[in-house]
C-alpha cells in the first residue's frame, strides 16, 4: 500500500461526492434515489490524516460522514460499467465534513457548507483498486473512540463502477480525481475537542487503509456581514444528528397515540365506515382482499410500497439487491402496516414467507397487498395478518418491479398515504385520515352507545319507527337512559 502524500493531494483536480448510496442511509433519510446525484468539493478542502479541522466560528453543526474514496488512475470519458473499475487506481478512507449551518446558503450546491478548508481529509494509506473486490469492502467510523458507522459495500444502491461510468458520460475524470462514494447510517455531529477516525478495508480484514484521524478545533474568526452567516433550525439539527432523538428535539405527538389506538380498536369497522360517510368520505375502503387471520383486528399507521409493471431492462436495475421491496420490509416499525400497490395484478406474488416473517420480527401489525402472496401456507401460519388478493407461486419479476416507498399509492381501489391510519378486520379495511381520527372515533363511540340503547328498546318491543334513527322524543329518553348508565 502506498502512503497518501502531498503529491497525491496536489494531483486531485476534482473532488466529486455522491449524495445517497447506502441503503441504511436512504432508510434514515426516508428517501431512496432512483439514480445517483452528485456535488463538487474544491480540492482545497483536502487534508491529510492527523490534520485538524476547524468548526467555523458561530457554527453549531459540523457533520461528519465516513466514506470510501476512489482515486482515478487514468482518464475516463464515456466508459462502460464493465470497464469503469479499470480506471480506478486506488481506494482510501475519507471524511466528508460539512457545516449544516450553511446548507441553506447555496441552494443545494453545498459549496460553502461542504467546501471549507480541511473538510475532506483522506488517507492515511492507499489500497490498490486491482487488489480488492469493490463489492466486498467495509467502512467504519469512530467518534471519540466509539464505533458509530459500520457497513459494507455489498448492497450499495449504486456500485462504484456505475458511479465512474455515469460521471464519465458528461465529464472527463482525470488522473488524481477523487470520488467520495456516500456514507452509511450513523453519521452525526462533532464538536471542538472531538476526535474522528475512519477506516476502510476488505471485509475479510486482509487489507486496510489504517485509521484516518481528524481532530476538531473551534474557529475564532467570525463570518463577515457581507456574506451568508450560520443559521440552523430543528430540521437541520435532525438531519445532522440523524434523528430528532439524537438531536435532543422533543418528538411530535404521534398520529396514533396509545389512547387513540385503543379507541379505534373498541369500535366496529361498520361504525367507522358510517361516520366516514357522514363526513363525505366514501372512497376510503380497500376492497377485494382476503385475510390470513380473519380473527384479528389491527390498527396501525400506513407505510407504503409501490410496484410498477415489469419491464426487463428496468428490472435489472431496480429488481435485484436491496430493492424497494426489501427496503420497505426492513424499515417497517413496531405497530406499522405495510400497504402495497400491485395494481390488483393477481398473476404473481408480492410478498413471501421470508419477507413476511421479517416484517413480523420488526413488529409490523400487518401487510396489505392488492396482489398475490407466495408461500401462502407459511405466510398464513404467521401471527401477523396479511391481507391479499390471492395466493400465487410466481416471483416479482414475472409481473412487477419494486419501485419506490413511502409515497402516495393506490391499493384495492383506495388512495393510501404514509401516515394514514389503517383499521382492518374481517369486515373490511378502512383508510382514516389522521387529522380527523380523534373526532371520528369519539363520534363512533357515541353512535355505538346510542345503538346499544336502540337495541334494548327494540328488544322491549318498541317499533323502529322514530327510534332508528331517533326522533326528538326518543333522543330525550336516550339522554335519561345515558344519565342512568353513568350513575350505575
Amino acid at each position: 500500500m502506498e502512503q497518501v502524500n502531498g503529491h497525491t493531494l496536489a494531483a486531485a483536480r476534482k473532488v466529486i461526492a455522491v449524495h445517497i448510496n447506502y441503503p441504511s442511509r436512504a432508510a434514515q433519510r426516508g428517501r431512496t434515489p432512483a439514480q445517483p446525484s452528485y456535488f463538487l468539493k474544491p480540492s482545497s478542502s483536502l487534508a491529510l490524516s492527523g490534520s485538524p479541522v476547524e468548526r467555523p466560528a458561530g457554527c453549531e453543526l459540523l457533520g461528519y460522514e465516513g466514506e470510501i474514496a476512489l482515486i482515478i488512475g487514468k482518464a475516463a470519458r464515456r466508459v462502460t460499467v464493465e470497464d469503469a473499475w479499470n480506471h480506478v487506481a486506488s481506494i482510501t478512507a475519507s471524511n466528508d465534513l460539512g457545516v449544516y449551518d450553511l446548507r441553506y446558503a447555496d441552494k443545494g450546491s453545498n459549496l460553502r457548507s461542504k467546501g471549507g478548508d480541511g473538510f475532506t481529509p483522506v488517507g492515511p494509506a492507499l489500497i490498490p483498486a486491482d487488489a480488492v473486490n469493490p463489492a466486498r469492502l467495509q467502512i467504519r467510523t469512530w467518534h471519540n473512540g466509539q464505533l458509530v458507522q459500520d457497513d459494507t459495500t455489498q448492497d450499495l444502491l449504486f456500485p462504484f463502477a456505475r458511479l465512474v461510468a455515469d460521471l464519465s458520460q458528461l465529464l472527463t475524470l482525470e488522473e488524481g480525481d477523487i470520488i467520495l462514494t456516500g456514507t452509511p447510517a450513523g453519521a452525526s455531529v462533532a464538536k471542538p475537542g472531538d476526535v474522528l477516525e475512519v477506516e476502510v478495508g476488505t471485509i475479510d480484514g486482509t487489507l486496510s487503509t489504517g485509521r484516518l484521524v481528524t481532530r476538531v478545533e473551534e474557529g475564532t474568526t467570525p463570518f463577515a456581514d457581507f456574506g451568508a452567516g450560520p443559521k440552523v433550525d430543528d430540521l437541520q439539527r435532525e438531519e445532522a444528528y440523524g434523528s430528532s432523538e439524537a438531536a435532543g428535539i422533543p418528538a411530535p405527538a404521534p398520529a396514533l397515540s396509545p389512547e387513540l389506538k385503543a379507541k379505534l380498536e373498541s369500535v366496529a369497522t361498520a361504525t367507522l365506515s358510517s361516520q366516514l360517510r357522514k363526513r363525505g368520505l366514501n372512497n376510503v375502503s380497500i376492497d377485494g382482499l382476503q385475510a390470513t387471520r380473519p380473527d384479528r383486528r389491527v390498527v396501525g399507521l400506513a407505510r407504503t410500497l409501490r410496484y410498477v409493471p415489469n419491464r426487463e431492462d428496468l428490472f435489472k436495475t431496480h429488481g435485484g439487491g436491496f430493492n424497494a421491496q426489501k427496503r420497505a420490509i426492513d424499515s417497517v416499525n413496531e405497530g406499522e402496516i405495510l400497504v402495497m400497490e400491485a395494481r390488483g395484478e393477481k398473476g404473481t406474488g408480492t410478498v413471501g414467507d421470508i419477507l413476511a416473517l421479517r416484517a413480523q420480527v420488526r413488529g409490523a401489525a400487518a401487510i396489505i397487498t392488492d396482489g398475490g402472496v407466495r408461500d401462502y401456507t407459511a405466510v398464513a401460519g404467521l401471527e401477523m395478518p396479511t391481507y391479499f388478493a390471492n395466493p400465487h407461486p410466481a416471483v416479482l419479476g414475472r409481473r412487477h418491479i419494486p419501485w419506490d416507498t413511502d409515497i402516495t399509492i393506490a391499493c384495492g381501489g383506495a388512495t393510501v398515504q404514509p401516515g394514514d391510519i389503517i383499521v382492518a378486520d374481517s369486515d373490511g379495511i378502512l383508510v382514516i385520515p389522521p387529522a380527523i381520527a380523534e373526532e371520528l372515533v369519539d363520534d363512533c363511540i357515541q353512535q355505538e352507545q346510542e345503538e346499544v340503547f336502540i337495541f334494548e328498546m327494540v328488544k322491549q318491543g318498541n317499533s323502529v319507527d322514530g327510534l332508528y334513527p331517533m326522533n326528538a322524543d326518543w333522543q330525550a329518553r336516550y339522554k335519561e337512559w345515558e344519565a342512568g348508565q353513568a350513575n350505575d
Side-chain angles (χ1 to χ4, degrees):
M1 292 184 287
E2 177 188 348
Q3 292 296 312
V4 173
N5 51 43
H7 174 75
T8 302
L9 297 187
R13 302 184 186 187
K14 297 186 288 294
V15 180
I16 303 170
V18 178
H19 281 108
I20 295 178
N21 199 14
Y22 286 79
S24 61
R25 181 70 161 177
Q28 185 181 46
R29 288 298 200 202
R31 59 183 185 274
T32 302
Q35 302 292 343
S37 62
Y38 314 92
F39 60 93
L40 282 168
K41 300 190 75 171
S43 57
S44 56
S45 70
L46 290 165
L48 296 170
S49 181
S51 302
V53 67
E54 182 181 285
R55 187 182 74 176
C59 288
E60 173 188 334
L61 304 173
L62 176 66
Y64 61 83
E65 300 175 2
E67 306 204 11
I68 298 172
L70 311 182
I71 300 177
I72 298 298
K74 61 179 180 179
R77 177 71 165 118
R78 293 179 177 153
V79 300
T80 64
V81 173
E82 292 72 22
D83 181 48
W85 192 245
N86 295 323
H87 293 260
V88 179
S90 52
I91 66 169
T92 193
S94 64
N95 197 335
D96 182 15
L97 296 161
V99 282
Y100 282 73
D101 312 61
L102 293 174
R103 285 178 89 193
Y104 78 95
D106 295 309
K107 297 182 180 179
S109 77
N110 292 335
L111 178 61
R112 281 173 285 187
S113 64
K114 290 274 194 175
D117 289 353
F119 278 17
T120 316
V122 295
L126 304 178
I127 301 176
D130 60 8
V132 300
N133 178 345
R136 299 285 297 170
L137 297 173
Q138 182 178 33
I139 171 81
R140 292 185 294 173
T141 304
W142 292 263
H143 184 183
N144 292 332
Q146 179 181 359
L147 183 65
V148 292
Q149 291 184 291
D150 188 357
D151 212 331
T152 74
T153 57
Q154 290 177 295
D155 293 312
L156 290 177
L157 300 176
F158 314 113
F160 293 162
R162 179 175 170 184
L163 299 177
V164 174
D166 182 35
L167 287 165
S168 78
Q169 293 184 92
L170 193 61
L171 54 93
T172 299
L173 296 173
E174 300 166 297
E175 181 181 356
D177 285 353
I178 295 174
I179 302 174
L180 307 184
T181 56
T183 195
S188 189
V189 172
K191 298 179 180 179
D194 288 355
V195 176
L196 303 168
E197 299 170 279
V198 183
E199 182 179 9
V200 170
T202 53
I203 290 176
D204 62 12
T206 57
L207 295 173
S208 170
T209 61
R211 293 196 186 185
L212 167 68
V213 180
T214 306
R215 292 174 174 81
V216 182
E217 297 180 350
E218 180 70 274
T220 57
T221 303
F223 284 87
D225 59 7
F226 49 74
K231 183 169 65 176
V232 298
D233 54 25
D234 281 349
L235 174 60
Q236 295 304 321
R237 292 186 180 95
E238 181 176 347
E239 293 228 330
Y241 281 94
S243 69
S244 57
E245 181 180 6
I249 301 168
L256 185 60
S257 65
E259 296 76 18
L260 176 57
K261 184 172 184 288
K263 286 182 179 180
L264 288 166
E265 289 171 337
S266 73
V267 297
T269 306
T271 310
L272 287 166
S273 180
S274 173
Q275 288 294 331
L276 286 163
R277 284 200 309 276
K278 287 182 179 180
R279 289 163 171 79
L281 293 169
N282 295 304
N283 298 295
V284 288
S285 63
I286 297 175
D287 298 332
L289 306 186
Q290 53 186 307
T292 59
R293 299 300 301 267
D295 57 315
R296 295 295 180 86
R297 178 178 176 84
V298 295
V299 177
L301 294 180
R303 297 286 299 278
T304 60
L305 166 64
R306 180 170 70 112
Y307 295 106
V308 298
N310 186 33
R311 205 179 88 185
E312 287 75 7
D313 61 320
L314 295 176
F315 193 87
K316 288 179 181 178
T317 58
H318 290 77
F322 198 60
N323 60 31
Q325 179 200 43
K326 292 177 181 175
R327 293 195 300 272
I329 292 288
D330 221 43
S331 65
V332 67
N333 297 312
E334 183 80 27
E336 293 178 336
I337 296 174
L338 180 58
V339 186
M340 301 179 179
E341 174 185 335
R343 311 175 312 284
E345 170 55 61
K346 299 180 180 181
T348 192
T350 56
V351 68
D353 58 345
I354 292 175
L355 293 184
L357 176 60
R358 176 62 176 157
Q360 176 175 286
V361 169
R362 287 192 58 83
I367 291 175
I368 299 172
T369 173
D370 61 357
V373 164
R374 294 182 69 220
D375 313 305
Y376 170 75
T377 301
V379 173
L382 297 176
E383 287 295 312
M384 178 194 68
T386 294
Y387 299 81
F388 63 103
N390 61 284
H392 201 284
V395 297
L396 284 180
R398 182 167 187 254
R399 299 284 173 82
H400 298 301
I401 306 172
W403 197 254
D404 44 14
T405 62
D406 291 320
I407 60 166
T408 300
I409 64 167
C411 181
T415 297
V416 182
Q417 294 191 301
D420 281 343
I421 297 173
I422 305 294
V423 178
D425 61 15
S426 57
D427 281 342
I429 307 168
L430 294 175
V431 182
I432 300 173
I436 67 168
E438 284 281 2
E439 173 193 306
L440 179 81
V441 75
D442 286 343
D443 286 351
C444 286
I445 292 170
Q446 178 65 30
Q447 178 182 326
E448 292 194 347
Q449 182 80 340
E450 291 175 358
E451 288 175 353
V452 169
F453 169 74
I454 293 169
F455 185 87
E456 287 296 321
M457 296 302 100
V458 171
K459 188 176 179 180
Q460 292 175 18
N462 292 284
S463 169
V464 295
D465 184 27
L467 174 60
Y468 186 54
M470 290 186 288
N471 58 24
D473 290 340
W474 277 112
Q475 284 283 357
R477 293 179 63 178
Y478 167 72
K479 294 296 184 184
E480 294 176 4
W481 176 85
E482 185 180 35
Q485 294 291 108
N487 294 328
D488 286 346

